[in-house]
């Protein structure tokens, strides 16, 4: 279980998170929605310790993440970055198998490669892509390689930052199914950031909406459509008119 | 008056703070060096990039400088009827000062810039964050291999630069200024002491360490976006060059001052 209580973060004068309270139960799929620039990516980075929150407490299974042994803590996580964040000096398969080629999870090279090719197949990429460099791929393909890398070492907790942006609708469907499958079959805990409402419905057990630095609404996905929150309603129906200003 | 002092104090404080941060970074790098894991593949790649691929630049710089040095010493020496000292002064000038300094500056131009730009780009595109989430310490994976490769290979580059620089002087002196080939070589060898060579290599190691460390530091400290990368690269090259020249002065005063 991941719990955030009253987490704040500012960059200089810019208040991004002003008091985030959120609980993500173990083995559940949480989807975070919210306008662009509201701090969704920053929220994930705070949990991972890539960004230090100014105030507040973040716990994983009851333990403060700041006091956790870093190596062991990070080994439980997989993360797909918004921009893919592939290592451009390494081939695609070496990116996917990064954790399996060094460190405590190290395997023989052939085995690591086989796992990488299998993960690539699961995100809809052919074995031929394995030997290319990231710069030779399209944006959507890079995203999927990033996804394959995030799940390669079978982490218990996976963060997906906009997994389907830049993908065609069919590929987006494939990725949605994959994320759902990882949570259901592997029992992983997932936090997914997305703007795509069809993704939300396909992936989520629970939904949280971030707005103005706080979680504006959170609840089971089934309750989302009938929730009275005007911010949430404006967002899920994509209306220009409503409490959320179009210029932010 | 206080306004003036404050205006004077602020940049001084900023420079001191920057020194402190770089020193802290150096200590952290050293601490990472002695703790496993050690990334051999990254180290070998850095050896190739910092050492081997810098050879052409170093060779060309050294040969032209050695040649020009011979011409200047000859012209200057003639005024005192001392033009015969060309081999000795070329040797000592190249080995003690010009070899290490020129190689250091060329490494700052070639290696510091590319390290800073590469690491800054990795920072900007979240690759450094990705490394961390993949349980890999960026200091160990990126910085240690590069700094170690710089510290070990730049002395060798300096040695090569010294030899090629002396060669440049030799070619000009024997081809153009009428020196005898055998005597020129004999004079050079007789005059150079092992302390000169050792000082050259020590300077090389220090400059190699500075060039790579500063490249990594500014890359890691890069701001956001393409502008951040440009800024990081520019600052890294300027800082490395100045630090190399300052370190050179310090090392010369310590080793030859008395
Ligand atoms: N490292 C940083 N330094 C300064 N500002 C940042 C940094 N990271 C994010 N921000 C700012 O925080 C805000 C939220 O960013 P982000 O979390 O990426 O938004 P999104 O919800 O679209 O993922 C943005 O205004 C961004 O400019
Ligand atoms: Mg984002």
């Amino acid at each position: 279980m991941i719990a955030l209580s009253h987490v704040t973060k500012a960059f200089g004068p810019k208040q991004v998170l002003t008091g985030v309270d959120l609980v993500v139960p173990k083995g559940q799929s949480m989807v975070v929605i919210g306008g662009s620039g509201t701090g969704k990516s920053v929220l994930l980075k705070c949990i991972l310790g890539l960004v230090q929150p100014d105030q507040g407490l973040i716990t994983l299974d009851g333990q403060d993440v700041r006091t956790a042994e870093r190596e062991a803590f990070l080994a439980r996580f997989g993360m797909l970055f918004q921009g893919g964040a592939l290592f451009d000096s390494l081939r695609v398969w070496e990116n996917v198998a990064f954790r399996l080629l060094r460190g405590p999870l190290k395997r023989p090279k052939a085995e690591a490669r086989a796992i990488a090719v299998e993960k690539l197949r699961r995100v809809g990429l052919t074995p031929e892509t394995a030997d290319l460099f990231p710069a030779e791929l399209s944006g959507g393909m890079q995203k999927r390689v990033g996804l394959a890398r995030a799940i390669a070492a079978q982490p218990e907790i996976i963060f997906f930052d906009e997994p389907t942006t830049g993908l065609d609708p069919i590929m987006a469907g494939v990725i949605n199914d994959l994320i759902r499958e990882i949570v259901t079959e592997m029992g992983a805990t997932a936090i997914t950031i997305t703007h795509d409402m069809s993704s939300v419905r396909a992936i989520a057990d629970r939904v949280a909406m971030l707005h103005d630095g706080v979680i504006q609404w959170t609840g089971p996905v089934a309750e989302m459509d009938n929730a009275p929150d005007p911010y949430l309603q404006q967002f899920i129906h994509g209306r220009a008119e409503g409490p959320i200003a179009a210029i932010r | 008056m206080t306004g003036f002092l404050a205006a004077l104090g602020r940049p001084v404080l900023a420079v001191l703070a920057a020194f402190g941060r770089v020193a802290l970074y150096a200590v952290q790098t050293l601490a990472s060096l002695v703790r496993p894991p050690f990334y051999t593949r990254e180290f070998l790649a850095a050896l190739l990039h910092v050492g081997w691929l810098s050879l052409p630049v170093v060779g060309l710089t050294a040969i032209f400088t050695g040649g020009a040095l011979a011409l200047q010493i000859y012209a200057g020496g003639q005024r005192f009827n001392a033009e015969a000292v060309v081999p000795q002064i070329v040797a000592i000038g190249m080995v003690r000062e010009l070899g290490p300094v020129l190689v250091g500056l060329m490494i700052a131009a070639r290696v510091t810039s590319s390290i800073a730009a590469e690491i800054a780009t990795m920072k900007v595109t979240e690759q450094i964050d990705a490394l961390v989430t993949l349980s890999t310490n960026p200091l160990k994976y990126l910085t240690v291999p590069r700094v170690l490769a710089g510290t070990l290979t730049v002395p060798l580059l300096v040695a090569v630069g010294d030899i090629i620089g002396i060669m440049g002087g030799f070619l000009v002196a024997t081809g153009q200024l009428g020196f005898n080939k055998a005597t020129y070589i004999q004079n050079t060898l007789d005059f150079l002491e092992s302390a000169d060579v050792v000082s050259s290599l020590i300077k090389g190691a220090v400059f190699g360490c500075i060039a790579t460390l500063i490249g990594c530091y500014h890359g890691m400290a890069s701001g956001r976006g393409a502008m951040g990368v440009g800024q990081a690269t520019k600052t890294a090259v300027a800082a490395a060059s100045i630090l190399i020249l300052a370190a050179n002065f310090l090392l010369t005063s310590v080793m030859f001052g008395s």
Side-chain angles (χ1 to χ4, degrees), chain A residues 154-168:
Chain A
Q154 311 225 348
E156 311 165 38
I157 306 154
I158 321 185
F159 293 169
F160 303 100
D161 197 343
E162 303 197 12
T164 57
T165 3
L167 301 187
D168 64 68

Side-chain angles (χ1 to χ4, degrees), chain A residues 11 14 16 34-43 51 82 161-162 193 195 210, chain B residues 224:
Chain A
F11 293 101
K14 189 183 174 101
V16 178
S36 54
T38 48
K40 303 182 298 296
S41 300
V42 169
L43 183 69
V51 166
Q82 191 169 353
D161 197 343
E162 303 197 12
I193 292 173
H195 296 129
L210 186 65
Chain B
R224 308 174 84 201

Side-chain angles (χ1 to χ4, degrees), chain B:
Chain B
M1 186 63 191
T2 38
F4 172 72
L5 282 181
L8 201 67
R10 233 172 276 121
V12 171
L13 281 180
V15 166
L16 286 180
F19 258 104
R21 283 193 299 270
V22 172
L24 188 67
Y25 189 72
V27 170
Q28 287 170 342
T29 304
L30 201 65
S32 308
L33 176 65
V34 295
R35 261 177 292 147
F38 181 75
Y39 294 102
T40 313
R41 209 181 105 161
E42 275 59 42
F43 175 60
L44 295 178
L47 281 185
L48 179 76
H49 177 66
V50 178
W52 183 248
L53 297 179
S54 296
L55 274 174
V57 172
V58 164
L60 285 170
T61 313
I63 197 156
F64 288 126
T65 309
L69 195 57
L71 287 176
Q72 289 288 12
I73 293 164
Y74 188 80
Q78 259 183 339
R79 298 184 200 165
F80 314 99
N81 290 324
E83 62 269 29
V85 296
V86 168
Q88 289 89 335
I89 305 293
V90 166
I92 205 169
M94 276 316 294
V95 172
R96 284 186 175 191
E97 290 296 326
L98 286 174
V101 167
L102 288 176
V103 171
L105 291 179
M106 292 317 280
I107 293 297
R110 185 182 177 280
V111 174
T112 306
S113 60
S114 85
I115 289 179
E118 183 186 3
I119 295 185
T121 305
M122 291 184 73
K123 171 97 185 281
V124 167
T125 56
E126 300 181 311
Q127 291 179 53
I128 304 283
D129 284 344
L131 268 183
V132 174
T133 60
L134 293 165
S135 310
T136 303
N137 183 338
L139 210 58
K140 283 183 191 163
Y141 184 76
L142 297 173
T143 308
V144 166
R146 285 167 174 77
V147 173
L148 199 59
T151 312
L152 294 178
T153 56
V154 176
L156 300 182
L157 288 173
V158 167
V160 171
D162 291 349
I163 292 168
I164 293 180
I166 290 174
M167 278 266 304
F170 170 84
L171 290 176
V172 168
T174 58
Q176 203 177 323
L177 306 174
F179 280 77
N180 176 286
K181 290 183 181 170
T183 330
Y184 190 101
I185 293 174
Q186 196 56 49
N187 282 342
T188 303
L189 292 178
D190 286 348
F191 194 70
L192 270 185
E193 292 174 13
S194 55
D196 297 327
V197 178
V198 170
S199 80
S200 201
L201 299 182
I202 291 178
K203 284 182 172 182
V206 172
F207 300 168
C209 180
I210 291 176
T212 44
L213 189 80
I214 295 294
C216 292
Y217 172 78
H218 284 285
M220 290 282 191
S222 165
R224 308 174 84 201
M227 271 192 25
V229 177
Q231 185 75 31
T233 309
K234 183 180 77 180
T235 317
V237 174
S241 305
I242 291 169
L243 277 176
I244 283 171
L245 293 172
N248 180 61
F249 175 70
L250 264 176
L251 288 171
T252 297
S253 340
V254 170
M255 292 190 290
F256 301 105
S258 54

